Amino acid sequence: MALYSPEIQHLLYENDAGRVIGLDKVQLLDPVPTARLGPVRALLSSPDEYLAYQAASVLTAWGDAAGLRHLEQLIDGRVDQRLTMAPHRIWDYDNGYDEMAWAVDLYGLSPEAQRPAQLRVLGKLLALYGPCFFESNLKAALLDLALPLAAELGPAMRAALARTQEAGQLYLASQLLPPLARVDSAAARRLVDAFPGLLRQAAPKPSAGEADSIRANVREALGYLPASALDRPAVRAAIARVGNIKWGESDYHRLGSAQALMREYLRRAGLVTEAVRQFRGYLLAWPWLDAAAWLAKTDEDGSKGPELMRDVHAPTLPGYSLLEDEPAYWGPGVDPLEDEVRALSQRLSAGHLTYYMRRTCFYYLRWEAIKNHPAVRALGLPDLYEPLIMLYERGGWFRMEHGDYIDFGSSMTGKSTPAQAAQFSSLPLDPATLDQIDRDYTRRSLDELLARLLAQAVTGLRDYEAVLQPPASEAALAALQTGAQAALGLPVPAGYLTFLRLVDGLNWDDLLIYGSGPYPLVTEPTMFVRDLVATNLAWRRAEPTAPPRLYLAEDRDLLYGYEPAAGAEPYLAYERAGGAVAKRFRSAEELLGHALQRRVWENEEAWRGRR
């Protein structure tokens, strides 16, 4: 800074108390120090052109028309070609015109400001945009204009943006996207859509910092664009639906419907993939399709996607920025629902969700935003994510195994190919159908479990030179049910009867599973299978205060019983010492399977020990 007299220094650089605050802070003095106006105007005629420029900048910021006229004269005379007005603090260029834009912006805040003159000067600055550098003040000035005034500068903004974009000045071009989006959403949309490809193809590549600034400007522009094409009520309903899911461990008793619902999702995903294959020559992350982004986003090579929804841009989709490893090219989203989506994301992060479970919840939100769009409805696509969301609502859980198999914890299924999956039979999604699938699957699984464990028990019994008892006859089972109801007042559980149809009781060392009568062991006639009714009458005499229950089996540590009043899991393993409940089950098959499994493990451990 040149050395000026104390009077000039006070006029341009000091506050009323005489403390040096700098020219930019003097521009912001409020109220305007009217006593300085005359002396500062006198500096406009100084032969020192830099001093006159500074005086004009201060006066313009104070809303003085004389200062604005002087700046306009400097612009008309291309002062940058003979004078460095504001060397950038880091880079080697003159930022003088951008500082003029800052003063013109402040000028517009004055109630005495002449709007036509302000717009005329801003238009002249836009004409220099590209040949001259502007850091950010011109952008701010354009954004501060009232919309009717800003609209008058729309043609000048479009011309300046096209000029800088064509010249490869992407940072300068991106700065004009937000102000243009306010006044010409259609033109801004076209330009925004082009920026991913332009940034990827730029030569030389912009620095990381410059690329971040470009992305920030594009995000800001998206915030000004209307997004009425998104179905916001549907998204909010979807957020509430996902938010109400009770996440936890996989529910074994609903594994059948989980597998069926996953197969139905794969079928729908295959149909969607095949239907939109005409728009793209490659698949995206099968089978976990981000269908909304697939239809709305720009291809990686910069070319357009299907362009079905010209009024939807991928980064405006809810949850775009919250997917791990998602190429969210523009960083944080700008959708007005972002806060709600972010809050949901935090809840999901705390739940028992695998990577793809969490991911598909966001895909579902985004699909709900566009599935009713006329262009999407015209494709006739199925409601893609409904089977998955129902799977989650029913306690389903899965993860990917080796990238090829969908693992439900106790079973796996292949992911197939899109063409194969599209040929699967469709599944009705009504609760009655799904509940029946679960009952059938659980019954088959429990039958297989008992058969497998009894086969293992045969091996263990050989150590005792024993064999399994024969199955109970239907006549014996009918008599057991009648006798139990008459003597004990409780029905015999169906799952226990299933076990007796396989083997009528068990006496294997310390594991006793009661039978339909006191039968001697096949290989040891002096030992017996205990009778269910007689044994329970003995337990009732020993436990007169216990609630109504049927004991089905026992070992040295636990008693295994059925207690109808115990709720959804009425099959209980009680500790013999104290009677506390050690474990709960939904079915007799699971209860007896647990008892058998404990004995099988003990036998295997003993066998290993002997070796």
Side-chain angles (χ1 to χ4, degrees), residues 402-427:
H402 305 304
D404 291 319
Y405 297 95
I406 303 169
D407 182 0
F408 297 93
S410 58
S411 65
M412 284 193 285
T413 185
K415 65 180 183 180
S416 303
T417 66
Q420 291 169 339
Q423 300 302 314
F424 291 164
S425 299
S426 62
L427 172 72

Side-chain angles (χ1 to χ4, degrees), residues 320-369:
Y320 187 86
S321 64
L322 297 175
L323 299 176
E324 309 93 334
D325 303 326
E326 181 76 8
Y329 198 75
W330 301 120
V334 295
D335 189 275
L337 293 177
E338 196 70 18
D339 287 344
E340 295 176 47
V341 178
R342 193 176 300 278
L344 177 64
S345 174
Q346 292 171 350
R347 294 201 298 274
L348 296 185
S349 297
H352 185 70
L353 282 75
T354 60
Y355 175 77
Y356 285 110
M357 290 174 67
R358 181 177 183 275
R359 202 171 181 86
T360 49
C361 285
F362 285 107
Y363 294 165
Y364 165 62
L365 299 185
R366 298 159 70 167
W367 174 254
E368 290 297 301

Side-chain angles (χ1 to χ4, degrees), residues 533-558:
V533 175
T535 304
N536 272 277
L537 287 172
W539 277 116
R540 289 195 177 183
R541 289 191 294 272
E543 300 176 338
T545 61
R549 66 176 62 145
L550 278 181
Y551 288 116
L552 307 178
E554 62 182 271
D555 60 30
R556 65 168 173 263
D557 299 315
L558 300 172

Side-chain angles (χ1 to χ4, degrees), residues 136-154:
S136 62
N137 288 323
L138 180 56
K139 167 192 166 184
L142 296 171
L143 289 173
D144 285 341
L145 289 172
L147 274 178
L149 299 175
E152 295 185 34
L153 292 176

Side-chain angles (χ1 to χ4, degrees), residues 215-235:
R215 293 167 184 147
N217 283 323
V218 174
R219 288 199 304 270
E220 186 179 353
L222 288 170
Y224 288 109
L225 293 176
S228 57
L230 299 184
D231 190 342
R232 302 189 182 288
V235 177

Side-chain angles (χ1 to χ4, degrees), residues 512-531:
L512 305 175
I513 298 179
Y514 311 147
S516 65
Y519 301 118
L521 298 185
V522 173
T523 53
E524 185 58 54
T526 61
M527 299 181 65
F528 290 80
V529 168
R530 289 191 179 181
D531 173 67

Side-chain angles (χ1 to χ4, degrees), residues 274-600:
E274 294 300 303
V276 300
R277 189 186 292 276
Q278 59 183 303
F279 302 120
R280 299 183 185 276
Y282 59 89
L283 300 180
L284 294 178
W286 172 261
W288 316 116
L289 309 180
D290 187 358
W294 196 1
L295 293 171
K297 73 184 294 186
T298 302
D299 283 344
E300 289 298 316
D301 62 2
S303 62
K304 295 298 181 184
E307 288 198 354
L308 291 171
M309 299 174 290
R310 297 178 183 272
D311 48 357
V312 174
H313 190 271
T316 66
L317 295 170
Y320 187 86
S321 64
L322 297 175
L323 299 176
E324 309 93 334
D325 303 326
E326 181 76 8
Y329 198 75
W330 301 120
V334 295
D335 189 275
L337 293 177
E338 196 70 18
D339 287 344
E340 295 176 47
V341 178
R342 193 176 300 278
L344 177 64
S345 174
Q346 292 171 350
R347 294 201 298 274
L348 296 185
S349 297
H352 185 70
L353 282 75
T354 60
Y355 175 77
Y356 285 110
M357 290 174 67
R358 181 177 183 275
R359 202 171 181 86
T360 49
C361 285
F362 285 107
Y363 294 165
Y364 165 62
L365 299 185
R366 298 159 70 167
W367 174 254
E368 290 297 301
I370 61 97
K371 75 177 185 181
N372 291 318
H373 191 285
V376 177
R377 287 203 308 270
L379 292 175
L381 302 176
D383 196 358
L384 177 55
Y385 300 100
E386 184 63 20
L388 276 184
I389 301 303
M390 292 187 69
L391 185 155
Y392 301 151
E393 289 174 327
R394 295 173 65 86
W397 179 95
F398 72 88
R399 66 185 177 92
M400 290 300 294
E401 184 72 23
H402 305 304
D404 291 319
Y405 297 95
I406 303 169
D407 182 0
F408 297 93
S410 58
S411 65
M412 284 193 285
T413 185
K415 65 180 183 180
S416 303
T417 66
Q420 291 169 339
Q423 300 302 314
F424 291 164
S425 299
S426 62
L427 172 72
L429 298 185
D430 61 284
T433 296
L434 298 175
D435 289 345
Q436 186 60 51
I437 289 172
D438 284 327
R439 286 192 291 270
D440 294 344
Y441 181 90
T442 300
R443 173 58 55 197
R444 290 194 304 271
S445 299
L446 291 174
D447 289 348
E448 292 170 3
L449 169 70
L450 290 178
R452 184 172 65 253
L453 288 172
L454 287 172
Q456 292 174 289
V458 168
T459 303
L461 287 168
R462 287 174 185 159
D463 293 342
Y464 300 90
E465 298 181 350
V467 297
L468 292 175
Q469 292 294 103
S473 68
E474 290 302 319
L477 293 179
L480 174 64
Q481 294 176 76
T482 301
Q485 188 68 53
L488 303 170
L490 290 174
V492 179
Y496 172 65
L497 296 174
T498 297
F499 177 83
L500 296 186
R501 288 186 176 94
L502 297 173
V503 55
D504 194 358
L506 185 68
N507 186 332
W508 179 9
D509 196 13
D510 67 338
L511 173 60
L512 305 175
I513 298 179
Y514 311 147
S516 65
Y519 301 118
L521 298 185
V522 173
T523 53
E524 185 58 54
T526 61
M527 299 181 65
F528 290 80
V529 168
R530 289 191 179 181
D531 173 67
L532 175 77
V533 175
T535 304
N536 272 277
L537 287 172
W539 277 116
R540 289 195 177 183
R541 289 191 294 272
E543 300 176 338
T545 61
R549 66 176 62 145
L550 278 181
Y551 288 116
L552 307 178
E554 62 182 271
D555 60 30
R556 65 168 173 263
D557 299 315
L558 300 172
L559 293 168
Y560 301 92
Y562 166 58
E563 193 172 308
E569 295 177 310
Y571 298 90
L572 310 173
Y574 310 90
E575 295 178 358
R576 296 190 73 130
V581 175
K583 199 168 180 64
R584 297 176 179 270
F585 304 90
R586 291 192 181 185
S587 67
E589 293 97 328
E590 289 174 278
L591 178 82
L592 297 174
H594 179 74
L596 280 167
Q597 187 69 72
R598 277 169 50 88
R599 187 64 190 83
V600 166

